[in-house]
Amino acid sequence: TSNNVTILNTLPPAPVLVSPANLTTTTSRTLTFVWNNSVDTDNDPNISYRLEIDNNILFNNPEVNVTGIINTTNDNTTYAITTELAVDATYFWRVFAYDQADYSISTNVGNFTLQSLLSVNITNDLVAFGTFAPGTTASTPADANPFRGENVGNIVANISITGTPLFTAVSMPSSFYRFKIRANESGSFNTSVSYVNWTYMNSSPSPVHVVRLDWHSISNDFITDLNISVPGNESAGVKSSNVTFTIEG
């Protein structure tokens, strides 16, 4: 006589989603996700997780489908995705626990909206040339620090530059007040079509001067150099010009 004993595995409980909170809006294209750990009733020691993210609630073609995620603390698990999600879309996410035998049922499905963000930050917003006599020419970076700007949004941007008159003896645009764009980080914008040669500063709406400025932090900035020539008949006094950087997608 023989007896057979079948030991059944109990599915691990579904993890509880924590962050991003349901129905929130974000501008991060590589979010960090947090969920509470699954406490297995069988005391299986090696619980791992599968994270799925899809722009369709049916999860029929997930943008992210990562398995083997290990808990980061005793209470919860944090996972930062490396896939860059597309902007202006709503995404659904869920997590399964795996006890090395079976997956849990899924968590409740969370959702969030990823918005596009168009934003430029002029990190050096003052060019101070100092005192010059009529007939003098000065340029950045030799005679002053240039403007520096960076794309702090999450999509590729185009930048146009305009300025108010600097001198009273000559009108704009003229060779007495010029600018050009210069790369600071490799591959940050399209140098072949951007204005990388000296260009007359203009106060009226103008073409795009920085073309396709990247948003990734390793290559998202640009330098704007200025070149001024003081007219021979320019009156003495403090001279200033307000330079505007206009961003568009």
mmCIF file of all heavy atoms in Angstrom, residues 76-118:
data_model
loop_
_atom_site.group_PDB
_atom_site.id
_atom_site.type_symbol
_atom_site.label_atom_id
_atom_site.label_comp_id
_atom_site.label_asym_id
_atom_site.label_seq_id
_atom_site.Cartn_x
_atom_site.Cartn_y
_atom_site.Cartn_z
ATOM 1 N N ASN A 76 8.822 47.455 0.947
ATOM 2 C CA ASN A 76 8.382 47.790 -0.400
ATOM 3 C C ASN A 76 9.499 47.606 -1.411
ATOM 4 O O ASN A 76 10.657 47.378 -1.051
ATOM 5 C CB ASN A 76 7.819 49.212 -0.464
ATOM 6 C CG ASN A 76 8.801 50.244 0.035
ATOM 7 O OD1 ASN A 76 9.922 50.338 -0.455
ATOM 8 N ND2 ASN A 76 8.391 51.042 1.030
ATOM 9 N N THR A 77 9.107 47.725 -2.662
ATOM 10 C CA THR A 77 10.049 47.591 -3.774
ATOM 11 C C THR A 77 9.986 48.843 -4.630
ATOM 12 O O THR A 77 8.903 49.356 -4.915
ATOM 13 C CB THR A 77 9.703 46.364 -4.632
ATOM 14 O OG1 THR A 77 9.830 45.187 -3.823
ATOM 15 C CG2 THR A 77 10.625 46.252 -5.835
ATOM 16 N N THR A 78 11.153 49.327 -5.008
ATOM 17 C CA THR A 78 11.280 50.512 -5.853
ATOM 18 C C THR A 78 11.996 50.124 -7.129
ATOM 19 O O THR A 78 13.041 49.462 -7.087
ATOM 20 C CB THR A 78 12.067 51.618 -5.125
ATOM 21 O OG1 THR A 78 11.378 51.974 -3.931
ATOM 22 C CG2 THR A 78 12.216 52.853 -5.999
ATOM 23 N N TYR A 79 11.427 50.543 -8.253
ATOM 24 C CA TYR A 79 12.043 50.198 -9.543
ATOM 25 C C TYR A 79 11.931 51.379 -10.490
ATOM 26 O O TYR A 79 10.836 51.882 -10.744
ATOM 27 C CB TYR A 79 11.371 48.969 -10.159
ATOM 28 C CG TYR A 79 12.027 48.512 -11.443
ATOM 29 C CD1 TYR A 79 13.197 47.764 -11.412
ATOM 30 C CD2 TYR A 79 11.490 48.854 -12.683
ATOM 31 C CE1 TYR A 79 13.820 47.370 -12.589
ATOM 32 C CE2 TYR A 79 12.109 48.450 -13.859
ATOM 33 C CZ TYR A 79 13.276 47.714 -13.811
ATOM 34 O OH TYR A 79 13.890 47.317 -14.968
ATOM 35 N N ALA A 80 13.073 51.827 -11.009
ATOM 36 C CA ALA A 80 13.111 52.927 -11.986
ATOM 37 C C ALA A 80 13.236 52.333 -13.381
ATOM 38 O O ALA A 80 14.191 51.601 -13.675
ATOM 39 C CB ALA A 80 14.292 53.848 -11.696
ATOM 40 N N ILE A 81 12.286 52.639 -14.232
ATOM 41 C CA ILE A 81 12.321 52.097 -15.590
ATOM 42 C C ILE A 81 13.374 52.825 -16.415
ATOM 43 O O ILE A 81 13.695 53.985 -16.159
ATOM 44 C CB ILE A 81 10.945 52.188 -16.277
ATOM 45 C CG1 ILE A 81 10.514 53.653 -16.454
ATOM 46 C CG2 ILE A 81 9.895 51.407 -15.504
ATOM 47 C CD1 ILE A 81 9.267 53.814 -17.296
ATOM 48 N N THR A 82 13.907 52.151 -17.400
ATOM 49 C CA THR A 82 14.875 52.755 -18.316
ATOM 50 C C THR A 82 14.252 53.054 -19.680
ATOM 51 O O THR A 82 14.811 53.819 -20.463
ATOM 52 C CB THR A 82 16.089 51.837 -18.510
ATOM 53 O OG1 THR A 82 15.645 50.557 -18.975
ATOM 54 C CG2 THR A 82 16.846 51.662 -17.196
ATOM 55 N N THR A 83 13.101 52.465 -19.959
ATOM 56 C CA THR A 83 12.388 52.763 -21.201
ATOM 57 C C THR A 83 11.816 54.173 -21.140
ATOM 58 O O THR A 83 11.169 54.537 -20.155
ATOM 59 C CB THR A 83 11.239 51.765 -21.410
ATOM 60 O OG1 THR A 83 11.779 50.444 -21.477
ATOM 61 C CG2 THR A 83 10.467 52.070 -22.686
ATOM 62 N N GLU A 84 12.054 54.965 -22.173
ATOM 63 C CA GLU A 84 11.494 56.315 -22.227
ATOM 64 C C GLU A 84 10.075 56.244 -22.796
ATOM 65 O O GLU A 84 9.878 55.933 -23.967
ATOM 66 C CB GLU A 84 12.368 57.235 -23.082
ATOM 67 C CG GLU A 84 13.705 57.535 -22.463
ATOM 68 C CD GLU A 84 14.578 58.408 -23.359
ATOM 69 O OE1 GLU A 84 14.153 58.729 -24.489
ATOM 70 O OE2 GLU A 84 15.689 58.748 -22.933
ATOM 71 N N LEU A 85 9.125 56.563 -21.965
ATOM 72 C CA LEU A 85 7.732 56.522 -22.398
ATOM 73 C C LEU A 85 7.411 57.725 -23.272
ATOM 74 O O LEU A 85 7.958 58.814 -23.087
ATOM 75 C CB LEU A 85 6.808 56.499 -21.183
ATOM 76 C CG LEU A 85 6.974 55.313 -20.228
ATOM 77 C CD1 LEU A 85 6.057 55.471 -19.024
ATOM 78 C CD2 LEU A 85 6.707 53.995 -20.949
ATOM 79 N N ALA A 86 6.495 57.542 -24.204
ATOM 80 C CA ALA A 86 6.060 58.633 -25.067
ATOM 81 C C ALA A 86 5.198 59.609 -24.268
ATOM 82 O O ALA A 86 4.493 59.220 -23.330
ATOM 83 C CB ALA A 86 5.281 58.081 -26.258
ATOM 84 N N VAL A 87 5.258 60.875 -24.653
ATOM 85 C CA VAL A 87 4.517 61.909 -23.922
ATOM 86 C C VAL A 87 3.091 62.043 -24.433
ATOM 87 O O VAL A 87 2.725 61.508 -25.471
ATOM 88 C CB VAL A 87 5.243 63.270 -24.012
ATOM 89 C CG1 VAL A 87 6.606 63.191 -23.353
ATOM 90 C CG2 VAL A 87 5.366 63.735 -25.460
ATOM 91 N N ASP A 88 2.310 62.805 -23.655
ATOM 92 C CA ASP A 88 0.913 63.100 -23.988
ATOM 93 C C ASP A 88 0.110 61.821 -24.183
ATOM 94 O O ASP A 88 -0.594 61.628 -25.192
ATOM 95 C CB ASP A 88 0.830 64.008 -25.217
ATOM 96 C CG ASP A 88 1.500 65.357 -24.978
ATOM 97 O OD1 ASP A 88 1.435 65.835 -23.833
ATOM 98 O OD2 ASP A 88 2.089 65.908 -25.914
ATOM 99 N N ALA A 89 0.234 60.949 -23.195
ATOM 100 C CA ALA A 89 -0.471 59.666 -23.229
ATOM 101 C C ALA A 89 -0.806 59.239 -21.803
ATOM 102 O O ALA A 89 -0.153 59.660 -20.841
ATOM 103 C CB ALA A 89 0.377 58.589 -23.909
ATOM 104 N N THR A 90 -1.840 58.411 -21.676
ATOM 105 C CA THR A 90 -2.197 57.815 -20.390
ATOM 106 C C THR A 90 -1.703 56.368 -20.377
ATOM 107 O O THR A 90 -1.859 55.634 -21.359
ATOM 108 C CB THR A 90 -3.718 57.850 -20.173
ATOM 109 O OG1 THR A 90 -4.139 59.218 -20.068
ATOM 110 C CG2 THR A 90 -4.111 57.121 -18.901
ATOM 111 N N TYR A 91 -1.093 55.980 -19.245
ATOM 112 C CA TYR A 91 -0.527 54.642 -19.115
ATOM 113 C C TYR A 91 -1.183 53.906 -17.948
ATOM 114 O O TYR A 91 -1.617 54.517 -16.966
ATOM 115 C CB TYR A 91 0.992 54.716 -18.886
ATOM 116 C CG TYR A 91 1.748 55.199 -20.088
ATOM 117 C CD1 TYR A 91 2.035 56.552 -20.252
ATOM 118 C CD2 TYR A 91 2.173 54.319 -21.073
ATOM 119 C CE1 TYR A 91 2.725 57.016 -21.365
ATOM 120 C CE2 TYR A 91 2.866 54.762 -22.192
ATOM 121 C CZ TYR A 91 3.130 56.110 -22.328
ATOM 122 O OH TYR A 91 3.806 56.563 -23.438
ATOM 123 N N PHE A 92 -1.223 52.591 -18.098
ATOM 124 C CA PHE A 92 -1.757 51.711 -17.064
ATOM 125 C C PHE A 92 -0.611 50.820 -16.582
ATOM 126 O O PHE A 92 0.230 50.391 -17.375
ATOM 127 C CB PHE A 92 -2.907 50.875 -17.621
ATOM 128 C CG PHE A 92 -4.012 51.717 -18.208
ATOM 129 C CD1 PHE A 92 -3.975 52.078 -19.559
ATOM 130 C CD2 PHE A 92 -5.046 52.164 -17.414
ATOM 131 C CE1 PHE A 92 -4.982 52.868 -20.101
ATOM 132 C CE2 PHE A 92 -6.053 52.954 -17.959
ATOM 133 C CZ PHE A 92 -6.025 53.311 -19.289
ATOM 134 N N TRP A 93 -0.571 50.533 -15.267
ATOM 135 C CA TRP A 93 0.510 49.703 -14.746
ATOM 136 C C TRP A 93 -0.012 48.732 -13.691
ATOM 137 O O TRP A 93 -0.992 48.994 -13.002
ATOM 138 C CB TRP A 93 1.666 50.547 -14.230
ATOM 139 C CG TRP A 93 1.407 51.350 -12.973
ATOM 140 C CD1 TRP A 93 0.594 52.428 -12.831
ATOM 141 C CD2 TRP A 93 2.027 51.136 -11.703
ATOM 142 N NE1 TRP A 93 0.655 52.910 -11.551
ATOM 143 C CE2 TRP A 93 1.532 52.142 -10.838
ATOM 144 C CE3 TRP A 93 2.952 50.230 -11.219
ATOM 145 C CZ2 TRP A 93 1.927 52.240 -9.499
ATOM 146 C CZ3 TRP A 93 3.361 50.325 -9.886
ATOM 147 C CH2 TRP A 93 2.849 51.314 -9.049
ATOM 148 N N ARG A 94 0.655 47.596 -13.619
ATOM 149 C CA ARG A 94 0.295 46.574 -12.656
ATOM 150 C C ARG A 94 1.543 45.772 -12.297
ATOM 151 O O ARG A 94 2.542 45.774 -13.033
ATOM 152 C CB ARG A 94 -0.801 45.663 -13.210
ATOM 153 C CG ARG A 94 -0.417 44.877 -14.456
ATOM 154 C CD ARG A 94 -1.613 44.133 -15.032
ATOM 155 N NE ARG A 94 -1.243 43.346 -16.218
ATOM 156 C CZ ARG A 94 -2.102 42.647 -16.942
ATOM 157 N NH1 ARG A 94 -3.401 42.642 -16.613
ATOM 158 N NH2 ARG A 94 -1.687 41.954 -18.000
ATOM 159 N N VAL A 95 1.451 45.056 -11.179
ATOM 160 C CA VAL A 95 2.592 44.285 -10.673
ATOM 161 C C VAL A 95 2.100 42.904 -10.256
ATOM 162 O O VAL A 95 1.027 42.768 -9.645
ATOM 163 C CB VAL A 95 3.256 44.998 -9.474
ATOM 164 C CG1 VAL A 95 4.418 44.151 -8.930
ATOM 165 C CG2 VAL A 95 3.746 46.383 -9.871
ATOM 166 N N PHE A 96 2.883 41.878 -10.589
ATOM 167 C CA PHE A 96 2.631 40.516 -10.146
ATOM 168 C C PHE A 96 3.764 40.081 -9.221
ATOM 169 O O PHE A 96 4.936 40.416 -9.466
ATOM 170 C CB PHE A 96 2.582 39.546 -11.335
ATOM 171 C CG PHE A 96 1.497 39.825 -12.334
ATOM 172 C CD1 PHE A 96 1.686 40.754 -13.352
ATOM 173 C CD2 PHE A 96 0.289 39.147 -12.263
ATOM 174 C CE1 PHE A 96 0.692 40.997 -14.287
ATOM 175 C CE2 PHE A 96 -0.713 39.383 -13.204
ATOM 176 C CZ PHE A 96 -0.517 40.305 -14.211
ATOM 177 N N ALA A 97 3.428 39.309 -8.198
ATOM 178 C CA ALA A 97 4.450 38.687 -7.352
ATOM 179 C C ALA A 97 4.699 37.258 -7.836
ATOM 180 O O ALA A 97 3.764 36.567 -8.277
ATOM 181 C CB ALA A 97 4.004 38.681 -5.897
ATOM 182 N N TYR A 98 5.937 36.805 -7.737
ATOM 183 C CA TYR A 98 6.307 35.465 -8.210
ATOM 184 C C TYR A 98 7.102 34.764 -7.118
ATOM 185 O O TYR A 98 8.112 35.277 -6.624
ATOM 186 C CB TYR A 98 7.142 35.590 -9.482
ATOM 187 C CG TYR A 98 7.565 34.281 -10.096
ATOM 188 C CD1 TYR A 98 6.618 33.342 -10.493
ATOM 189 C CD2 TYR A 98 8.907 33.983 -10.305
ATOM 190 C CE1 TYR A 98 6.982 32.138 -11.072
ATOM 191 C CE2 TYR A 98 9.298 32.787 -10.893
ATOM 192 C CZ TYR A 98 8.333 31.869 -11.276
ATOM 193 O OH TYR A 98 8.707 30.684 -11.854
ATOM 194 N N ASP A 99 6.629 33.569 -6.723
ATOM 195 C CA ASP A 99 7.304 32.832 -5.643
ATOM 196 C C ASP A 99 8.193 31.715 -6.180
ATOM 197 O O ASP A 99 8.479 30.743 -5.488
ATOM 198 C CB ASP A 99 6.285 32.283 -4.649
ATOM 199 C CG ASP A 99 5.325 31.270 -5.283
ATOM 200 O OD1 ASP A 99 5.474 30.966 -6.490
ATOM 201 O OD2 ASP A 99 4.419 30.784 -4.580
ATOM 202 N N GLN A 100 8.618 31.842 -7.414
ATOM 203 C CA GLN A 100 9.453 30.875 -8.121
ATOM 204 C C GLN A 100 8.687 29.624 -8.548
ATOM 205 O O GLN A 100 9.280 28.673 -9.085
ATOM 206 C CB GLN A 100 10.694 30.478 -7.300
ATOM 207 C CG GLN A 100 11.469 31.653 -6.715
ATOM 208 C CD GLN A 100 11.781 32.732 -7.751
ATOM 209 O OE1 GLN A 100 12.328 32.427 -8.793
ATOM 210 N NE2 GLN A 100 11.446 33.978 -7.432
ATOM 211 N N ALA A 101 7.365 29.653 -8.304
ATOM 212 C CA ALA A 101 6.514 28.564 -8.791
ATOM 213 C C ALA A 101 5.337 29.119 -9.574
ATOM 214 O O ALA A 101 5.032 28.659 -10.670
ATOM 215 C CB ALA A 101 6.010 27.709 -7.619
ATOM 216 N N ASP A 102 4.692 30.135 -9.006
ATOM 217 C CA ASP A 102 3.511 30.712 -9.644
ATOM 218 C C ASP A 102 3.501 32.220 -9.456
ATOM 219 O O ASP A 102 4.063 32.761 -8.482
ATOM 220 C CB ASP A 102 2.222 30.120 -9.039
ATOM 221 C CG ASP A 102 2.102 28.630 -9.270
ATOM 222 O OD1 ASP A 102 1.962 28.224 -10.441
ATOM 223 O OD2 ASP A 102 2.154 27.874 -8.272
ATOM 224 N N TYR A 103 2.803 32.880 -10.383
ATOM 225 C CA TYR A 103 2.565 34.318 -10.248
ATOM 226 C C TYR A 103 1.268 34.548 -9.486
ATOM 227 O O TYR A 103 0.307 33.770 -9.590
ATOM 228 C CB TYR A 103 2.460 34.991 -11.619
ATOM 229 C CG TYR A 103 3.796 35.329 -12.239
ATOM 230 C CD1 TYR A 103 4.339 34.516 -13.240
ATOM 231 C CD2 TYR A 103 4.514 36.454 -11.826
ATOM 232 C CE1 TYR A 103 5.565 34.819 -13.804
ATOM 233 C CE2 TYR A 103 5.736 36.765 -12.394
ATOM 234 C CZ TYR A 103 6.259 35.947 -13.379
ATOM 235 O OH TYR A 103 7.473 36.256 -13.946
ATOM 236 N N SER A 104 1.243 35.640 -8.756
ATOM 237 C CA SER A 104 0.016 36.068 -8.097
ATOM 238 C C SER A 104 -0.972 36.579 -9.139
ATOM 239 O O SER A 104 -0.625 36.765 -10.314
ATOM 240 C CB SER A 104 0.327 37.200 -7.112
ATOM 241 O OG SER A 104 0.694 38.384 -7.840
ATOM 242 N N ILE A 105 -2.199 36.790 -8.699
ATOM 243 C CA ILE A 105 -3.072 37.593 -9.529
ATOM 244 C C ILE A 105 -2.481 38.995 -9.563
ATOM 245 O O ILE A 105 -1.646 39.355 -8.723
ATOM 246 C CB ILE A 105 -4.514 37.629 -8.975
ATOM 247 C CG1 ILE A 105 -4.540 38.249 -7.573
ATOM 248 C CG2 ILE A 105 -5.131 36.242 -8.957
ATOM 249 C CD1 ILE A 105 -5.925 38.489 -7.034
ATOM 250 N N SER A 106 -2.884 39.801 -10.532
ATOM 251 C CA SER A 106 -2.284 41.130 -10.634
ATOM 252 C C SER A 106 -2.813 42.037 -9.539
ATOM 253 O O SER A 106 -3.845 41.785 -8.920
ATOM 254 C CB SER A 106 -2.588 41.752 -12.004
ATOM 255 O OG SER A 106 -3.949 42.146 -12.070
ATOM 256 N N THR A 107 -2.084 43.091 -9.303
ATOM 257 C CA THR A 107 -2.571 44.140 -8.436
ATOM 258 C C THR A 107 -3.746 44.837 -9.103
ATOM 259 O O THR A 107 -4.061 44.596 -10.268
ATOM 260 C CB THR A 107 -1.465 45.196 -8.223
ATOM 261 O OG1 THR A 107 -1.090 45.690 -9.523
ATOM 262 C CG2 THR A 107 -0.259 44.608 -7.557
ATOM 263 N N ASN A 108 -4.383 45.709 -8.359
ATOM 264 C CA ASN A 108 -5.286 46.637 -9.018
ATOM 265 C C ASN A 108 -4.479 47.430 -10.037
ATOM 266 O O ASN A 108 -3.314 47.750 -9.797
ATOM 267 C CB ASN A 108 -5.933 47.576 -8.000
ATOM 268 C CG ASN A 108 -6.899 46.850 -7.095
ATOM 269 O OD1 ASN A 108 -7.525 45.876 -7.496
ATOM 270 N ND2 ASN A 108 -7.010 47.315 -5.858
ATOM 271 N N VAL A 109 -5.088 47.749 -11.142
ATOM 272 C CA VAL A 109 -4.380 48.483 -12.190
ATOM 273 C C VAL A 109 -4.361 49.973 -11.842
ATOM 274 O O VAL A 109 -5.404 50.564 -11.555
ATOM 275 C CB VAL A 109 -5.058 48.262 -13.557
ATOM 276 C CG1 VAL A 109 -4.388 49.121 -14.631
ATOM 277 C CG2 VAL A 109 -4.987 46.785 -13.934
ATOM 278 N N GLY A 110 -3.169 50.555 -11.855
ATOM 279 C CA GLY A 110 -3.040 51.993 -11.659
ATOM 280 C C GLY A 110 -2.905 52.693 -13.000
ATOM 281 O O GLY A 110 -2.582 52.057 -14.010
ATOM 282 N N ASN A 111 -3.157 53.989 -13.012
ATOM 283 C CA ASN A 111 -2.918 54.727 -14.255
ATOM 284 C C ASN A 111 -2.417 56.123 -13.948
ATOM 285 O O ASN A 111 -2.686 56.693 -12.888
ATOM 286 C CB ASN A 111 -4.158 54.734 -15.139
ATOM 287 C CG ASN A 111 -5.180 55.780 -14.761
ATOM 288 O OD1 ASN A 111 -4.997 56.961 -15.044
ATOM 289 N ND2 ASN A 111 -6.262 55.348 -14.126
ATOM 290 N N PHE A 112 -1.655 56.647 -14.893
ATOM 291 C CA PHE A 112 -1.099 57.990 -14.786
ATOM 292 C C PHE A 112 -1.023 58.583 -16.183
ATOM 293 O O PHE A 112 -1.011 57.860 -17.183
ATOM 294 C CB PHE A 112 0.290 57.969 -14.135
ATOM 295 C CG PHE A 112 1.311 57.160 -14.876
ATOM 296 C CD1 PHE A 112 2.132 57.743 -15.828
ATOM 297 C CD2 PHE A 112 1.438 55.800 -14.642
ATOM 298 C CE1 PHE A 112 3.068 56.995 -16.532
ATOM 299 C CE2 PHE A 112 2.370 55.029 -15.341
ATOM 300 C CZ PHE A 112 3.185 55.634 -16.282
ATOM 301 N N THR A 113 -0.961 59.900 -16.237
ATOM 302 C CA THR A 113 -0.849 60.602 -17.515
ATOM 303 C C THR A 113 0.520 61.259 -17.601
ATOM 304 O O THR A 113 0.967 61.922 -16.662
ATOM 305 C CB THR A 113 -1.955 61.669 -17.655
ATOM 306 O OG1 THR A 113 -3.221 61.016 -17.636
ATOM 307 C CG2 THR A 113 -1.815 62.436 -18.965
ATOM 308 N N LEU A 114 1.187 61.050 -18.729
ATOM 309 C CA LEU A 114 2.503 61.639 -18.972
ATOM 310 C C LEU A 114 2.348 62.805 -19.937
ATOM 311 O O LEU A 114 2.011 62.611 -21.103
ATOM 312 C CB LEU A 114 3.452 60.576 -19.544
ATOM 313 C CG LEU A 114 4.848 61.027 -19.971
ATOM 314 C CD1 LEU A 114 5.568 61.764 -18.848
ATOM 315 C CD2 LEU A 114 5.670 59.823 -20.422
ATOM 316 N N GLN A 115 2.569 64.014 -19.433
ATOM 317 C CA GLN A 115 2.420 65.219 -20.243
ATOM 318 C C GLN A 115 3.762 65.659 -20.827
ATOM 319 O O GLN A 115 4.807 65.479 -20.206
ATOM 320 C CB GLN A 115 1.845 66.371 -19.410
ATOM 321 C CG GLN A 115 0.376 66.260 -19.102
ATOM 322 C CD GLN A 115 -0.152 67.506 -18.413
ATOM 323 O OE1 GLN A 115 0.609 68.298 -17.865
ATOM 324 N NE2 GLN A 115 -1.462 67.684 -18.423
ATOM 325 N N SER A 116 3.710 66.256 -22.001
ATOM 326 C CA SER A 116 4.908 66.874 -22.562
ATOM 327 C C SER A 116 5.207 68.154 -21.800
ATOM 328 O O SER A 116 4.309 68.819 -21.274
ATOM 329 C CB SER A 116 4.717 67.178 -24.043
ATOM 330 O OG SER A 116 3.589 68.011 -24.233
ATOM 331 N N LEU A 117 6.476 68.500 -21.714
ATOM 332 C CA LEU A 117 6.904 69.718 -21.029
ATOM 333 C C LEU A 117 7.903 70.441 -21.912
ATOM 334 O O LEU A 117 8.954 69.901 -22.259
ATOM 335 C CB LEU A 117 7.542 69.388 -19.679
ATOM 336 C CG LEU A 117 8.138 70.575 -18.914
ATOM 337 C CD1 LEU A 117 7.058 71.599 -18.559
ATOM 338 C CD2 LEU A 117 8.869 70.107 -17.662
ATOM 339 N N LEU A 118 7.569 71.678 -22.264
ATOM 340 C CA LEU A 118 8.432 72.521 -23.083
ATOM 341 C C LEU A 118 8.956 73.637 -22.187
ATOM 342 O O LEU A 118 8.204 74.512 -21.759
ATOM 343 C CB LEU A 118 7.627 73.083 -24.241
ATOM 344 C CG LEU A 118 8.377 73.706 -25.424
ATOM 345 C CD1 LEU A 118 9.307 72.686 -26.083
ATOM 346 C CD2 LEU A 118 7.391 74.252 -26.440
#
